[in-house]
Structure formats: structure tokens, C-alpha cells
Amino acid sequence: MLDSDEDSPFIVVSLPVYTPQTIAASYGKKNGMWYGGTSGVVSGTGGGWSRAGTRKQSVAESDAPPPGGGKPASGRVIRIINNMDHSIQCRVLLNLRTTQPFEEVLEDLGQVLKMSGAKRMYTITGQEVRSFSQLRNEFADVETFYLGSVIVAPALTPGVSAPILPIESPIRRSRSRANVAAAPASEDMRGRRARSKSRPRVLYAPEGEIVRNSVSSTDYTLLEVLKEEPIRVTIRGLRRTFYPPIHHAPIDNSPPEKKMQLDWVYGYRGADSRRNLWVLPTGELLYYVAAVAVMYDRDEESQRHYTGHTEDIQCMELHPSRELVASGQRAGRGRRAQAHVRIWSTDTLQTLHVFGMAEFEAGVAAVAFSQLNGGSYVLAVDAGRESILSVWQWQWGHLLGKVATLQEELTGAAFHPLDDNLLITHGKGHLTFWNRRKDGFFERTDIIKPPSRTHVTALQFEQDGDVVTADSDGFITIYSVDSDGAYFVRMEFEAHIKGISSLVMLSEGTLISGGEKDRKIAAWDSLQNYKRITETKLPESAGGVRSIYPQRPGRNDGNLYVGTTRNNIMEGSLQRRFNQVLFGHYKQLIGLAVHPDDEMFATAGHDKNIALWKGHKLVFATQVGYECVSLAWHPGGGALAAGSTEGHLVVLNADAGAHVATLRVCGSPLNTLQYNSAGDTLAIGSQNGSIYLFRVSRDGFSYKKSNKIRGAQPLVQLDWSLDGNYLQTVTADYDLAFWDIKALSPEKSPIAMKDVKWSTYNSTVGFLVSGMWNNRFYPMTTLISTASRSAAHDLLISGDTDGYLRLFRYPCASPKAEYNETKVYSGALYCARFLFNDRCMVSAGGQDAALMLWELVDD
């Protein structure tokens, strides 16, 4: 190839290479002098080098043999990489017959790569190249070479195809890579152009002369390498570049053939809500979790779900007919997520009416039906600063009147059962009666008002209309009306230690009260001056009382359902002990792991519980001593490992939930951990940025710390390579980092890692998942908080900080990628995983530790 230009050692080939920055100019050297051009192809007319505007040759043209019949061994296209910064690289057409010494050519190549003092060239396996004859003969099958200034020992393992060379300088790369571009030739040099005796040759090598890499298992040509550009994505204002692997499944931007169908909702929301448990005429329990209203049939062990809401349900009330429900949601981001109230049927799950769009500021704090007129009116209280109370004729969506209560912490509201125009609101330092006049205005009567510190937490009515209240000090108060219509305190007594969270008046006049702090449930006879009948106490593991409802409304058998502050539902009576019906995590839920070969999964939360679930059932829940943030299942299926916020590794027997061991790893949270596919090594990514490696016994019960790789950025996600030699991690700032397990060092070249096969793909960034980030079909106003690839490598689930779950095809590398989406969470989704057979998917997150199972059904 360059027969007549023997003094010109190389020409930089400016092709559409997938590198962080493209060497924009084309360079050559002749007689010790640099020549530069901006056209991308060096061209000439007559007998000189010039940068005339000749068009770039096509691939078809480049396949022709060079004019003059160049010899195959006279030139080679190779890729050279700066070993001090692997992001700086380019391709050059090297003239192997030049008369210039090999050492000078290396220095010249180093200048192209922005290196000073480049003295060595070596292969990716560490073998040094010392002459042109070695390039022509010994290394004829090698395409990529590194330039450096130190001698690198040869690789110990033959056939290594990934670069193992150390980075020679600890200098940190700038985030802006524009300054790494190759230096153009200076103006004074351009003015002294030397004449060439012949036309330059074709810069593209003919198809038959392109060197194939026989060392690597991937066999590809130069033109194939250049076929795909890297993808650049902006995350949190920083631009990130992801490099395509040589071979991957074709990109299909159509939506997946599967969609998510909610199958089961675990737990109950009692930690931060009130009055949220009812029993329907069918015997189903009605309650809400996140944005889902759940109807649970204990006899059939089945659930029905109302999913009309787009944000968390904040309050709910059952119609007097017990066949309709009013539910109010909080306000989210965007027009679709405005706060509003929905009236829907428990029989058909159809939405009958929606009202209050653009009326509520932050959400709906309370909702209630009128009693006397058969539930034709609905009241709603805005959760905003003014706590506006509004009354609606819901069948027509008419607003009958509204008034600002100006209460900061309003706990609840209700219609008086004997007067549909009399409304009562209560909260912190607040108990007020509102009489709605015919003109829509309200007359206000304050029974309790600031600066009173009494927090009225619950409200009930006697049969004659007297008002019964409970407060945060543990007192029950009864208000009656005198002959002038004024309310006065008829009776007050201490019922519980500290707060009372629930009151229920049974039909025969028995009042049931539930204590939030003392966990007691007491019965009082309202017909005998509230004499205590009996009491019982919930177990400590269940938590305090949140909501009480009779199991069979209208019957006086004393059987109750109790929702607790620890997100459990209990059943029992005052005469017998209470048993657990539903278990739920009650603090932030982040840790989630799926069984390697069974339809089981496990969860670990800030509530110090590690739970195992099979189908719709809880298998066990083990209390450990630490708040857990990560969880992994041993490939053998017999052990669970959890990472805590205090840096402890907790190991459980996955069959029985028994505690096996606790190891102190470090003083920082263990945000992510994962076993390799062989199960003999556990990698732990910490908040301090370091990777901790543990050797693991075959059964997964014995651990020995083997190594530590230091890092600086907090790690949040982690994946093992299939061969167990590498890790990829994602930092809290969404930087994708790679780690060489055998060398115990960070791998600085993302290009070198692009063809590594990963055992799992739970990282939220990377080339094959980049379509989640710059997707044109939804605004990137949020961050992707979790992602996971299916076992069949054909689906990708993503969850974001706004609570959206999206199902893509995998790989997902295009901004045009379409998806199927659902939203039942407010706040961030912390984890989503496919079960081992890809038939179901489980998600965890939201503000109430909501855990849900989704079935993947044909769309």
C-alpha cells in the first residue's frame, strides 16, 4: 500500500470510530515535517499533498486494490490507544516499508495520541513490539496496540483478549473531552508543504487485506467494528458515553408483547395513615396500599384491585350502602397526577365519578359520605396550607360550598349522622362544627381551638347524636347539646396510655377503642356511663392499633379486624388472642432478591425484617438486629445475605429463616451485594465506594473476607461478568465503573469492557439499557432508580423516582424504544426484579414500603 511513499510512516485514518472523541484531522509526516488537513481523507493532485475538497471515498471504492498494485505487506490499518488514557485512540494506516526508524515512528504516533515520550508499543496481552518486521510477521493477526513509556510485563494467561495494562498516570480525566482532540498542524508548517512524488494511496484497506484478530473469540473486520456509534446520554447534567458491544441482539423499538398485570399486593398501609380498613358485604377486606385499593378475600385467598388512581391514596370512605367507595389521592407531578376524588363501585370496579380536578392543592386529607340522605353528598378536605373543606353533590359533580378551615394538621372530617348540613372537622388543637347554610356559606363553631395542644385523632357518634372523640393524650370525651344548641362536655375519661388512634361504635352501644402506643384494645359500654367491659393487648411484633372494623358488621359477636402501625392486619376478639392475617414491611423497603430456580423472592427493609414470600403467602419473617438495604440469594438457593446500614453482613438459612452468621464488613452502608454465578464469591459494594470480596462455602453459610478494592464514589448497583473476572457497578451519580477481580483494581477503559458478557444486568446505565434515559416518549424530569434484565434476555424493567414502572424490550439502546407502562407508586421505586422464569415480576418502593407482584401477560 504506500510503495512509493516509503518515507511516510503512517496516515491517520479518520473514520466514524466509536471513541469518546474523534481525531478530526488527518496527519502524515514526510522528511521530518508534519502535514495536516481537515478533510478526513488525505488527497493529492499532480504530485503534492493537499487538503483540497475531494469527497470522502466510499466503502465500495475503498475495496478496490490501490493504484499501482500495492503489496499486501506494505501497509496495515491498526488501532493505537493511549495507555495513559484509554479514551484517546485512533486508527492509522501504517507504512511498514518506511525508512524512518521504528523509535521515531512511535514518538510521532504518540504525538497524535497527545502523549509525550512514547517509547514503547505493546499488544493487549503485554507483548512488546520492537520493529516493523514484528508487526509484519509475528503480530500480523493483532489489530490493537497500546503506546506507553514503560515496559509492561507479558500477560501470565495466554489468550487474554481484554486489556490488562495498567494505567500509567493517576491523572484524572476531565469530564469535557473536547480538549483531548488531536493537535492540528501549526500554520507555519502548513505554509511549507513538501512535494510528493506520487499520489497518496487509498486509505481504506481492501476487504481481503483487513487484518482479522485470531486471538479473540470475536472475529470481525474493521468495517464491522465501525458500524455502530457510541451512545451519549446526559444524566444529572453530565454527559456520559456508552460503547456498543461488537455483537448484540438486534435493537427492536416496538413495545414488548407482554404487559404488566397486577397480581398481588402485599401488606397494608398503617404506618402513616388512619381509618383505612373496612369489610364489604362480600366479606372481603377493603384497604389501600400506595395508589391501589385492595379487596382481599380470605376464604378464596384472592385479591381484586382498583387501580384508577395515579398517586398514593390518602383517604377513603365506604358509602352507607357499602357498595360504593370514595377515595382521594395526593397531588403528583403533571396534569394527570392532580389531586382529586374518585367514586367507584366495589362490585364492578368501574369509576362512576371523578371530581375536584384543579380544586385541591396538595392532596385530599379526608373524605366522607353524608348519612341521612343516603350518601348523596361527599365532603373533602384539601391537604394544602388552608385545608379547604368542600361539599359536593357527587352524582353531578356539583360543588355545593367550600370554606377554608386554616388548620395545619387536620386529621379527619365527618357528616353528622342526623344532619347532612352539619360537618365536623378535627385535628391538632382543633375540633370544629360547620353548619352549611342554603346559600353555601358555613357557620363555624370551635369546640377546641389553638393554643390547645389536644390532638383529636378519632370521631364517633352515639345513637342520639352525641359526639365521641379520642385524643393523643389517651382521653375519650363525649359532647352533648344543651337546650340552646350549644355543645358542652358531658363526660371525659382516660382510656389509654397516650394516643388513641381508632374508635368504633357497635350497633348495640359498645364503643371499641384502640391505643397506638399501649397496643391495647378496650370495650366500653356507652349505655352504662362508659364502664369498661374488657380489654386485650396486641403482641409487640404487631405494633400499635391503627384502624378497627368488625368482622361481620351488624352482628355483635365481638370479632374484629385490626390494622396496625407496623403494616399488619390482625384478626381476633377481646375474648381470644389476635392472629396475623397480613404481614407487611413498615419502613423503607429496598432489599429484594429472587430465588435462582423457584417462584420465590425475599425482601429486607429498614424495619429490620427479612421476609421470604412464595406465591401470595409469607413463608417466614425474621427479625434481625440491623436496618437492611440490600439482599442477595445464593445460587444454590439455601442462603440469603443481607447488607445493613451499619456495614454488617447478615446471613440467613433460606429454608427456615434461621440466623446463620453476622459479619462486620465496614462502617458504611452495604448498598449492593451479589454472588457470582458459581456461588463461591460474594461482592459487596459500599457507600464508601469500595468493593469487598468474600469467599463463600458451597452451601452459602461460611464466609471469609478475601480482598478489598478501594474506590471513591458511593456504589448503588452491581453485576458480575459471566466468567466471574469482572464487576460493573453504578455510583450514586450514575457513573458506570468496571473492576478487574483478578488484578484487584478498577478497570479504567470502558472500551475494553464493552464486549464482556454479564451474568445479570441490574445496572441502570450502559449501552444496552441507554434507551431508558433519553427516551423521546416521556420527559426526563426524573431519574431511573432501578432496572433489571429478564432471564431470557428479551425484556427490561425500569422504575423511576416518580413511581413509574416501564417494560421495554431488551436490548434497549434507542431513544425511540417504546414500552408498556404502569404507575401505582408515589415516590421512588427502589427495586424491581423478574422471577426466575420471567412469568412474574416483583416491585418494591414508594413511601409506604409497598410490595407488589405483577404477572406478565400477552398485550
Side-chain angles (χ1 to χ4, degrees):
M1 291 173 108
L2 295 177
D3 284 75
S4 54
D5 283 345
E6 294 190 350
D7 289 338
S8 180
F10 64 90
I11 300 173
V12 174
V13 181
S14 181
L15 299 175
V17 218
Y18 52 95
T19 57
Q21 123 286 321
T22 304
I23 307 295
S26 297
Y27 298 94
K29 190 176 184 187
K30 184 173 174 63
N31 298 330
M33 193 175 298
W34 282 98
Y35 300 104
T38 58
S39 65
V41 177
V42 180
S43 59
T45 54
W49 294 66
S50 80
R51 53 192 184 108
T54 55
R55 67 185 179 89
K56 194 169 182 178
Q57 287 168 305
S58 68
V59 174
E61 290 170 344
S62 69
D63 285 344
K71 299 176 184 177
S74 63
R76 277 193 58 195
V77 177
I78 64 170
R79 180 201 289 161
I80 54 173
I81 300 176
N82 183 336
N83 195 40
M84 299 169 68
D85 186 345
H86 291 181
S87 67
I88 306 176
Q89 58 175 275
C90 71
R91 292 183 179 277
V92 294
L93 181 58
L94 201 61
N95 182 5
L96 302 181
R97 303 173 72 100
T98 181
T99 57
Q100 190 176 354
F102 185 69
E103 292 73 21
E104 289 185 24
V105 173
L106 291 185
E107 289 186 18
D108 295 341
L109 290 171
Q111 291 184 46
V112 174
L113 295 180
K114 302 295 291 178
M115 297 176 66
S116 58
K119 294 183 172 60
R120 310 277 178 184
M121 173 188 281
Y122 29 76
T123 67
I124 57 179
T125 57
Q127 297 171 279
E128 186 176 359
V129 183
R130 301 178 185 273
S131 65
F132 286 114
S133 62
Q134 276 188 301
L135 274 176
R136 188 184 300 115
N137 302 312
E138 188 177 344
F139 301 116
D141 291 332
V142 181
E143 182 195 26
T144 303
F145 297 87
Y146 285 71
L147 293 189
S149 55
V150 298
I151 300 176
V152 178
L156 298 176
T157 308
V160 177
S161 60
I164 59 168
L165 305 174
I167 295 295
E168 294 169 1
S169 168
I171 298 174
R172 184 173 176 176
R173 289 205 304 273
S174 166
R175 292 195 184 277
S176 170
R177 291 174 175 166
N179 57 1
V180 196
S186 60
E187 288 296 326
D188 57 337
M189 284 190 173
R190 287 179 183 173
R192 299 178 302 182
R193 300 217 163 180
R195 293 278 177 180
S196 171
K197 296 179 182 177
S198 67
R199 297 175 59 191
R201 304 302 182 196
V202 178
L203 294 181
Y204 293 91
E207 178 84 26
E209 291 185 20
I210 291 177
V211 180
R212 293 183 179 272
N213 186 351
S214 60
V215 177
S216 171
S217 60
T218 53
D219 194 38
Y220 54 90
T221 66
L222 170 65
L223 300 178
E224 287 173 344
V225 170
L226 304 177
K227 70 182 178 181
E228 202 164 4
E229 290 285 329
I231 286 181
R232 293 173 176 85
V233 178
T234 301
I235 304 173
R236 280 186 171 173
L238 298 176
R239 198 164 176 81
R240 290 161 172 83
T241 302
F242 304 119
Y243 300 96
I246 296 300
H247 300 295
H248 60 73
I251 306 296
D252 185 350
N253 292 329
S254 64
E257 296 173 354
K258 299 287 186 181
K259 67 177 180 180
M260 295 168 285
Q261 180 175 294
L262 186 57
D263 181 55
W264 200 262
V265 178
Y266 301 89
Y268 152 86
R269 185 167 191 165
D272 60 352
S273 62
R274 299 174 185 274
R275 192 168 166 73
N276 58 352
L277 181 62
W278 298 266
V279 176
L280 299 176
T282 57
E284 295 170 297
L285 279 80
L286 170 66
Y287 52 94
Y288 55 84
V289 175
V292 182
V294 183
M295 284 140 284
Y296 170 46
D297 188 328
R298 286 182 63 199
D299 296 332
E300 298 290 333
E301 196 59 36
S302 63
Q303 284 185 355
R304 297 185 297 135
H305 309 106
Y306 175 75
T307 55
H309 285 282
T310 55
E311 295 289 337
D312 279 4
I313 298 173
Q314 289 184 297
C315 57
M316 188 182 283
E317 186 58 78
L318 194 59
H319 191 269
S321 70
R322 297 174 62 211
E323 295 177 354
L324 302 178
V325 173
S327 51
Q329 74 170 49
R330 57 164 286 183
R333 192 183 298 181
R335 190 178 62 83
R336 284 179 55 200
Q338 289 180 343
H340 62 272
V341 175
R342 306 178 82 87
I343 311 290
W344 50 278
S345 166
T346 59
D347 182 27
T348 64
L349 301 182
Q350 294 296 312
T351 302
L352 305 179
H353 293 277
V354 177
F355 62 87
M357 289 285 190
E359 286 284 343
F360 302 108
E361 180 184 348
V364 184
V367 67
F369 283 103
S370 60
Q371 300 292 316
L372 205 59
N373 63 8
S376 294
Y377 297 166
V378 171
L379 71 78
V381 180
D382 187 358
R385 288 172 298 176
E386 295 185 341
S387 296
I388 295 174
L389 169 67
S390 55
V391 181
W392 303 75
Q393 218 288 349
W394 62 266
Q395 288 97 331
W396 308 104
H398 292 165
L399 177 62
L400 301 179
K402 63 180 180 179
V403 62
T405 66
L406 303 177
Q407 296 301 317
E408 289 184 2
E409 291 186 42
L410 201 146
T411 306
F415 283 96
H416 195 283
L418 304 180
D419 187 352
D420 289 335
N421 292 316
L422 182 61
L423 296 76
I424 304 169
T425 57
H426 60 90
K428 188 173 183 180
H430 168 71
L431 178 64
T432 302
F433 288 71
W434 307 86
N435 192 14
R436 188 177 67 86
R437 302 191 318 218
K438 289 184 179 180
D439 58 6
F441 287 94
F442 289 83
E443 292 178 356
R444 174 173 184 159
T445 304
D446 287 318
I447 307 299
I448 299 175
K449 57 184 177 181
S452 171
R453 293 186 302 169
T454 302
H455 189 163
V456 180
T457 55
L459 186 71
Q460 275 296 324
F461 299 93
E462 292 185 356
Q463 287 184 346
D464 59 2
D466 283 0
V467 179
V468 183
T469 65
D471 61 39
S472 57
D473 294 326
F475 284 84
I476 292 177
T477 309
I478 295 90
Y479 296 89
S480 291
V481 184
D482 61 19
S483 57
D484 297 329
Y487 282 87
F488 65 95
V489 176
R490 189 186 96 203
M491 184 180 180
E492 185 177 59
F493 61 94
E494 186 174 8
H496 293 267
I497 301 170
K498 294 189 176 178
I500 300 172
S501 58
S502 181
L503 288 178
V504 175
M505 185 68 76
L506 301 181
S507 57
E508 83 285 4
T510 301
L511 179 72
I512 306 293
S513 63
E516 183 175 338
K517 302 295 183 183
D518 62 9
R519 309 194 311 277
K520 289 183 178 179
I521 301 171
W524 314 86
D525 190 345
S526 66
L527 304 180
Q528 296 189 22
N529 238 11
Y530 288 93
K531 178 183 176 183
R532 186 197 302 266
I533 302 172
T534 184
E535 70 175 30
T536 187
K537 192 173 184 177
L538 295 178
E540 185 177 357
S541 60
V545 176
R546 175 60 73 208
S547 191
I548 300 174
Y549 206 83
Q551 288 190 25
R552 299 171 184 84
R555 293 191 195 174
N556 300 319
D557 57 8
N559 291 318
L560 304 172
Y561 284 119
V562 179
T564 75
T565 55
R566 292 195 173 180
N567 288 0
N568 294 338
I569 294 181
M570 315 289 289
E571 69 86 23
S573 74
L574 295 172
Q575 286 76 36
R576 59 186 177 88
R577 71 187 186 92
F578 279 81
N579 301 305
Q580 188 180 79
V581 175
L582 288 178
F583 168 82
H585 290 274
Y586 63 95
K587 289 185 180 178
Q588 196 174 44
L589 180 60
I590 302 178
L592 175 63
V594 297
H595 193 282
D597 52 22
D598 198 355
E599 288 191 325
M600 300 166 66
F601 62 94
T603 51
H606 276 224
D607 58 1
K608 303 180 182 179
N609 278 315
I610 298 177
L612 187 143
W613 313 82
K614 182 169 186 177
H616 303 155
K617 290 283 191 181
L618 174 73
V619 178
F620 65 75
T622 300
Q623 186 84 13
V624 296
Y626 308 99
E627 296 181 355
C628 297
V629 291
S630 57
L631 192 64
W633 210 312
H634 188 268
L640 283 167
S644 82
T645 55
E646 299 173 24
H648 292 87
L649 177 67
V650 181
V651 183
L652 296 186
N653 182 325
D655 295 327
H659 178 264
V660 174
T662 298
L663 295 84
R664 172 81 170 176
V665 178
C666 63
S668 300
L670 307 182
N671 291 336
T672 178
L673 45 85
Q674 194 74 42
Y675 292 95
N676 65 352
S677 53
D680 57 8
T681 306
L682 176 69
I684 303 173
S686 171
Q687 182 76 14
N688 63 24
S690 296
I691 297 274
Y692 298 88
L693 300 172
F694 283 80
R695 283 204 203 95
V696 185
S697 62
R698 183 172 297 179
D699 58 7
F701 294 153
S702 179
Y703 293 77
K704 184 177 181 181
K705 187 174 179 180
S706 58
N707 283 299
K708 171 185 176 182
I709 312 176
R710 291 188 180 275
Q713 300 265 346
L715 304 177
V716 293
Q717 286 134 21
L718 179 151
D719 291 301
W720 278 94
S721 64
L722 266 177
D723 57 13
N725 292 332
Y726 298 98
L727 291 172
Q728 72 173 0
T729 60
V730 180
T731 70
D733 287 330
Y734 292 93
D735 291 322
L736 185 61
F738 301 98
W739 310 77
D740 188 329
I741 297 305
K742 293 193 173 178
L744 296 177
S745 65
E747 171 55 61
K748 297 295 186 182
S749 171
I751 299 177
M753 302 298 294
K754 64 186 178 59
D755 293 315
V756 175
K757 305 296 183 188
W758 301 103
S759 177
T760 59
Y761 208 107
N762 298 328
S763 298
T764 50
V765 292
F767 180 87
L768 296 176
V769 299
S770 56
M772 300 187 301
W773 284 99
N774 52 357
N775 198 286
R776 63 168 57 181
F777 297 111
Y778 54 87
M780 212 60 235
T781 54
T782 181
L783 294 170
I784 306 293
S785 51
T786 182
S788 186
R789 182 187 67 193
S790 65
H793 295 208
D794 60 344
L795 294 173
L796 175 72
I797 188 72
S798 81
D800 67 18
T801 51
D802 273 351
Y804 282 94
L805 266 174
R806 297 187 178 99
L807 187 67
F808 297 86
R809 289 184 186 270
Y810 180 89
C812 174
S814 167
K816 299 178 183 178
E818 298 181 55
Y819 51 88
N820 291 323
E821 151 186 298
T822 188
K823 185 180 191 320
V824 294
Y825 290 88
S826 290
L829 266 157
Y830 295 116
C831 199
R833 297 286 183 266
F834 292 95
L835 295 192
F836 85 104
N837 56 9
D838 293 344
R839 283 171 45 191
C840 294
M841 186 270 299
V842 63
S843 61
Q847 300 175 344
D848 57 347
L851 179 65
M852 301 188 191
L853 182 69
W854 304 82
E855 191 177 356
L856 299 180
V857 297
D858 292 334
D859 192 4

